[in-house]
Amino acid sequence: MRFLPCISLLLLVQLLAGCETLRLSQPAPPESPNVFEETPPAQAAPDATGQCPPVEAVVCAEPEVKVVERVIERKFETIVEVPVAKDKLVLGSEEYFVIEPGALRLKALVDTGAATCSLSVGDMTPFERDGNDWVRFNLSDGGDAEPLKIELPIKRHVRVARPGFERQRRPVVNMSLSIGEVTHMVEVNLVERGEFEFPLLVGRNFLKDAAVVDVSRKLVQGNGTAPAVGK
């Protein structure tokens, strides 16, 4: 019976050893999901010298804002009414006139910048008659008809300056110009030249108190006709 305590002690030691072996053989419990492993920050790779490049700051550009301004311009048209006397003709920049003597219908340039009328003639020859100065010249309307020979007394002489030409001394004679219902006896200076587009230039000495000029129009008074014989 004295061996019974020894046997019990051995059994107790065996039992304790078996429990410890069982605890060690169990797997470790899983980690708590609330525990996060901190990842070390990435470091720049060293360059050829073994030094890391400096850190550059990145600045984002501000967005471009375009402002569109709309300007509405309003234009107002002003109409100015210019009174025109009822007894005055309206002439364009080009008109046909009938000239006397000769009763020729000539194409004329209406020039408000010219003081007197001017007529292109041919074979102009001054001469003396009864102690007075006269002039003889040929006048043509540009057609195929034979030029008219006209002789008129010289009233005076004028000097005319034109750009690019020398000053000319021209004889001045009195002639009758007609257009529409208007006929005026006016001074006309004579010039001898060759080809011309306008054989007659009508100046202010005819237009004064007789007509107004609309430079934007031509042949307002039509093609013109020679006055009837006896009128």
Side-chain angles (χ1 to χ4, degrees):
M1 296 294 293
R2 59 177 180 167
F3 295 105
L4 185 56
C6 294
I7 295 172
S8 299
L9 181 60
L10 290 174
L11 290 174
L12 181 59
V13 172
Q14 290 288 340
L15 181 60
L16 292 175
C19 291
E20 182 68 18
T21 302
L22 180 62
R23 186 180 67 84
L24 295 176
S25 63
Q26 291 180 354
E31 295 183 355
S32 174
N34 296 328
V35 179
F36 297 93
E37 182 178 358
E38 183 179 1
T39 303
Q43 298 181 358
D47 56 10
T49 59
Q51 298 181 357
C52 294
V55 179
E56 296 182 358
V58 178
V59 179
C60 296
E62 296 184 0
E64 182 180 359
V65 179
K66 294 184 177 180
V67 179
V68 179
E69 181 179 1
R70 300 181 64 184
V71 178
I72 301 177
E73 182 180 359
R74 298 178 181 267
K75 294 184 178 180
F76 299 92
E77 182 179 359
T78 303
I79 300 177
V80 179
E81 294 185 359
V82 180
V84 177
K86 295 182 180 179
D87 58 345
K88 290 186 178 181
L89 285 178
V90 176
L91 302 180
S93 60
E94 300 176 12
E95 296 288 349
Y96 280 98
F97 282 73
V98 176
I99 192 166
E100 288 284 353
L104 290 180
R105 171 179 159 274
L106 302 178
K107 186 177 182 182
L109 175 67
V110 181
D111 186 0
T112 59
T116 60
C117 299
S118 178
L119 180 65
S120 297
V121 299
D123 297 330
M124 184 167 55
T125 305
F127 65 97
E128 185 176 333
R129 176 178 291 173
D130 299 331
N132 298 318
D133 293 331
W134 283 60
V135 63
R136 181 185 299 112
F137 57 88
N138 293 339
L139 184 59
S140 172
D141 59 0
D144 297 332
E146 195 71 21
L148 296 178
K149 294 186 181 296
I150 299 176
E151 295 180 351
L152 291 174
I154 297 176
K155 186 175 181 179
R156 60 190 179 95
H157 287 84
V158 294
R159 289 193 176 276
V160 178
R162 292 188 301 162
F165 296 89
E166 296 181 356
R167 294 173 62 90
Q168 292 181 333
R169 186 173 182 266
R170 299 180 182 178
V172 176
V173 296
N174 283 334
M175 301 189 76
S176 175
L177 302 182
S178 300
I179 184 170
E181 299 297 326
V182 176
T183 299
H184 281 335
M185 181 70 71
V186 294
E187 291 186 347
V188 178
N189 67 73
L190 306 178
V191 56
E192 187 175 14
R193 55 189 175 189
E195 297 296 329
F196 45 81
E197 181 181 1
F198 300 100
L200 177 63
L201 185 147
V202 177
R204 295 193 303 271
N205 61 336
F206 178 90
L207 302 174
K208 183 180 179 181
D209 300 327
V212 292
V213 182
D214 184 352
V215 296
S216 65
R217 302 170 65 185
K218 296 180 180 180
L219 304 180
V220 177
Q221 298 298 323
N223 292 333
T225 55
V229 178
K231 282 194 176 183

